[in-house]
């Protein structure tokens, strides 16, 4: 039995990179969501709030897509 260390290293590096990317995207989504929600009592919703809301939705949707893809790869059928 022979272990392909190069392939093992590539898989470990790819999984580490995707994990860091998902954590960063989730953090950016939470920060953008907070910026969208925080000034609600201050006045009307402006363009900045809409952009923050869109960024939050995109970031959190990317995290959901990555999680769904991972579950799809794990679950057979």
């Amino acid at each position: 039995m022979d272990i392909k260390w190069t392939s093992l290293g590539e898989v470990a590096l790819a999984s580490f990179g995707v994990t860091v990317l998902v954590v960063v995207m989730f953090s950016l989504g939470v920060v953008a969501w907070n910026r969208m929600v925080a000034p609600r009592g201050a006045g009307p919703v402006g363009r900045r709030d809409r952009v923050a809301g869109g960024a939050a939705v995109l970031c959190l949707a990317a995290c959901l897509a990555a999680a769904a893809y991972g579950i799809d790869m794990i679950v057979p059928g």
Side-chain angles (χ1 to χ4, degrees):
M1 186 168 149
D2 188 28
I3 297 175
K4 296 181 182 178
W5 291 103
T6 306
S7 297
L8 181 64
E10 288 174 359
V11 169
L13 188 62
S15 64
F16 180 75
V18 169
T19 301
V20 169
L21 180 67
V22 168
V23 169
V24 167
M25 290 297 288
F26 185 78
S27 299
L28 289 174
V30 169
V31 168
W33 190 271
N34 188 31
R35 286 187 186 211
M36 178 190 73
V37 175
R40 283 289 178 182
V45 176
R47 181 177 178 170
R48 186 180 197 185
D49 298 333
R50 286 190 213 116
V51 170
V57 168
L58 285 176
C59 289
L60 296 175
C63 292
L64 181 64
Y69 180 69
I71 291 171
D72 184 52
M73 288 180 62
I74 292 171
V75 176

